Amino acid sequence: MLSQAHHEIQIPTRGRGLYEFTGEVQTWLAGHNFQNGLLTLHLRHTSASLLIQENADPDVRRDLEHFFARLVPDGDPLFVHTAEGDDDMPAHIRTALTTVNLSVPLIHGRLALGTWQGIYLWEHRHAPHRRRVTVHFIGE
Amino acid sequence: MLSQAHHEIQIPTRGRGLYEFTGEVQTWLAGHNFQNGLLTLHLRHTSASLLIQENADPDVRRDLEHFFARLVPDGDPLFVHTAEGDDDMPAHIRTALTTVNLSVPLIHGRLALGTWQGIYLWEHRHAPHRRRVTVHFIGE
Amino acid sequence: MLSQAHHEIQIPTRGRGLYEFTGEVQTWLAGHNFQNGLLTLHLRHTSASLLIQENADPDVRRDLEHFFARLVPDGDPLFVHTAEGDDDMPAHIRTALTTVNLSVPLIHGRLALGTWQGIYLWEHRHAPHRRRVTVHFIGE
């Protein structure tokens, strides 16, 4: 018998960087005893992203951060939208280059993540923020 | 009782730029009186994207456009696929760097968009096009 | 009457490049006689992507490859995470710039893909790999 449920996860950030929250998602799914279905995550912001990436070597996250900082430089004179700071427009662009939606199947009680995949919030602003992720599940 | 529905939204574009269509999506959902579920949008093209971005300051869209125009220059001599014009291969690459699928939960009759989030079609070609978005909803 | 099903598609790669598997997905859907619903694909890796792109002119795939190779150069001295080779960190970044999730509606027995859209696995490593894609369908 199919049913659905929803939830909100709040993630406090301490500035730019990757914050894993795979555990919070799994805990919520387990609390409902869901076994099979489709999990969708939607981030309600335009200056942070959702990302599935390697959860083993922290150098991967460091290199991702350095690459994006070079690709979309803070304070680039190209940008007109600068009222909220040098990192505001780069944050919007980094969000456009990644995504704010993820969909992951749940199979036999486990998310279909690979061995090295973790679910991350990627904060693109330097200041701390409280980010809100809407969590939706449909299945059984 | 879960059910599903589908629809097609056609968006006429006037050349490269961001076209918001959040309203059309909300109107369709409201017409079905859907309350909770999962909305999926799929764009049936390879030279335009779907994007969730800030809907307040238009300078954000202007800066996004300028950044992508610099990152993926029209007429780049790297490209072999140029029969349809200088902007054709850049359009495919801009699509690859963004996405053609979006999934947004509907909670208590409202899309789980943040205050500043709008749903956009991003036209990457300079000529006007009629773009087709398949809309799917499953829920109740 | 809504129901769901899942499957795994394994895709052997021969190194960096785009591998279409639209046919495998359609065959699986047809085998279940599904007519309407939502298909979700999730790639269980962090150094390869899923991509919907043009399936007509092979020059498009060639140009995509060349653009990404220039944007994220193998062996870039910026990278610290190099133990697995010069192409390892570029593979993670190319994955972050694209996606590992796709959601496509099925309408009257046909995926809502445009005329020129194919579903691809994008292998970002130079060595051959066996890539695993989790396939999920909910609908009828």
Side-chain angles (χ1 to χ4, degrees):
Chain A
M1 184 63 180
L2 296 175
S3 67
Q4 57 179 350
H6 63 87
H7 180 53
E8 182 176 280
I9 294 178
Q10 296 201 6
I11 303 173
T13 69
R14 302 172 302 280
R16 190 172 278 180
L18 287 150
Y19 299 83
E20 186 170 7
F21 66 104
T22 320
E24 282 92 325
V25 174
Q26 287 169 329
T27 298
W28 179 73
L29 289 166
H32 281 269
N33 201 26
F34 290 131
Q35 294 298 310
N36 291 287
L38 180 64
L39 172 80
T40 301
L41 304 175
H42 176 75
L43 178 64
R44 301 166 67 101
H45 306 275
T46 62
S47 56
S49 307
L50 297 181
L51 188 73
I52 292 179
Q53 260 296 338
E54 169 164 328
N55 58 7
D57 182 356
D59 283 342
V60 171
R61 271 112 63 198
R62 176 200 167 284
D63 286 351
L64 271 172
E65 194 57 69
H66 287 192
F67 180 85
F68 274 74
R70 188 179 67 185
L71 185 67
V72 195
D74 288 346
D76 190 317
L78 183 72
F79 302 140
V80 167
H81 176 81
T82 56
E84 295 169 56
D86 272 3
D87 61 334
D88 185 30
M89 198 57 225
H92 291 302
I93 291 173
R94 290 159 64 125
T95 301
L97 287 168
T98 49
T99 191
V100 294
N101 288 160
L102 296 175
S103 296
V104 184
L106 182 78
I107 311 286
H108 303 319
R110 295 172 66 101
L111 285 172
L113 295 172
T115 311
W116 311 110
Q117 287 184 320
I119 301 173
Y120 290 86
L121 172 82
W122 197 348
E123 174 63 71
H124 298 307
R125 302 298 309 270
H126 290 297
H129 284 76
R130 178 169 292 273
R131 300 302 193 174
R132 298 166 62 195
V133 180
T134 299
V135 183
H136 177 269
F137 179 80
I138 186 163
E140 56 200 330
Chain B
M1 183 67 180
L2 296 176
S3 67
Q4 57 179 350
H6 64 87
H7 180 54
E8 182 176 280
I9 294 177
Q10 297 201 5
I11 303 173
T13 70
R14 302 171 302 279
R16 189 173 279 179
L18 288 150
Y19 299 84
E20 186 169 8
F21 65 105
T22 320
E24 281 92 327
V25 174
Q26 287 169 330
T27 298
W28 179 73
L29 289 166
H32 281 270
N33 201 25
F34 289 130
Q35 294 298 310
N36 291 285
L38 180 64
L39 171 81
T40 301
L41 304 175
H42 175 75
L43 178 65
R44 301 165 67 101
H45 306 276
T46 62
S47 56
S49 306
L50 296 181
L51 188 73
I52 291 178
Q53 258 296 337
E54 169 164 327
N55 57 7
D57 183 357
D59 283 343
V60 171
R61 271 110 65 197
R62 178 202 164 281
D63 286 351
L64 271 171
E65 194 58 68
H66 287 193
F67 180 85
F68 274 74
R70 187 179 68 186
L71 184 67
V72 194
D74 288 346
D76 191 318
L78 183 71
F79 303 139
V80 167
H81 175 82
T82 56
E84 296 169 54
D86 273 2
D87 61 333
D88 184 31
M89 197 58 223
H92 290 302
I93 291 172
R94 291 159 63 125
T95 300
L97 287 169
T98 50
T99 190
V100 294
N101 287 160
L102 296 175
S103 296
V104 184
L106 182 79
I107 311 285
H108 304 318
R110 295 171 65 100
L111 285 171
L113 295 171
T115 311
W116 310 110
Q117 287 183 322
I119 302 173
Y120 291 88
L121 172 83
W122 198 349
E123 174 63 70
H124 297 307
R125 302 298 307 271
H126 290 297
H129 284 76
R130 179 169 291 274
R131 300 302 195 174
R132 297 166 63 195
V133 179
T134 299
V135 183
H136 177 268
F137 179 81
I138 187 165
E140 56 199 331
Chain C
M1 184 64 180
L2 296 175
S3 67
Q4 56 179 351
H6 64 86
H7 180 53
E8 183 176 279
I9 293 176
Q10 297 201 6
I11 302 173
T13 70
R14 302 171 302 279
R16 189 172 280 180
L18 287 151
Y19 299 84
E20 186 170 9
F21 66 105
T22 320
E24 282 92 324
V25 174
Q26 287 171 329
T27 300
W28 179 74
L29 289 166
H32 281 269
N33 200 26
F34 289 132
Q35 294 298 310
N36 291 286
L38 181 64
L39 171 80
T40 301
L41 304 175
H42 175 76
L43 178 65
R44 302 167 65 102
H45 306 276
T46 63
S47 57
S49 307
L50 297 181
L51 187 73
I52 292 179
Q53 259 297 336
E54 169 163 328
N55 57 7
D57 182 357
D59 283 342
V60 171
R61 271 110 64 197
R62 176 201 167 281
D63 286 351
L64 271 172
E65 195 57 70
H66 287 193
F67 180 85
F68 274 74
R70 187 179 68 186
L71 185 68
V72 195
D74 288 346
D76 191 317
L78 183 72
F79 302 139
V80 167
H81 176 82
T82 57
E84 296 170 55
D86 273 2
D87 61 335
D88 185 30
M89 198 57 224
H92 290 302
I93 290 172
R94 291 160 63 124
T95 301
L97 287 168
T98 50
T99 190
V100 294
N101 287 159
L102 296 175
S103 296
V104 184
L106 183 78
I107 312 286
H108 303 319
R110 294 171 67 101
L111 285 172
L113 296 171
T115 311
W116 310 111
Q117 286 184 321
I119 301 173
Y120 291 87
L121 172 84
W122 197 347
E123 174 62 71
H124 298 307
R125 302 298 308 269
H126 289 296
H129 283 76
R130 178 168 292 274
R131 301 301 195 174
R132 297 166 62 195
V133 180
T134 299
V135 182
H136 177 269
F137 179 82
I138 186 164
E140 54 199 331

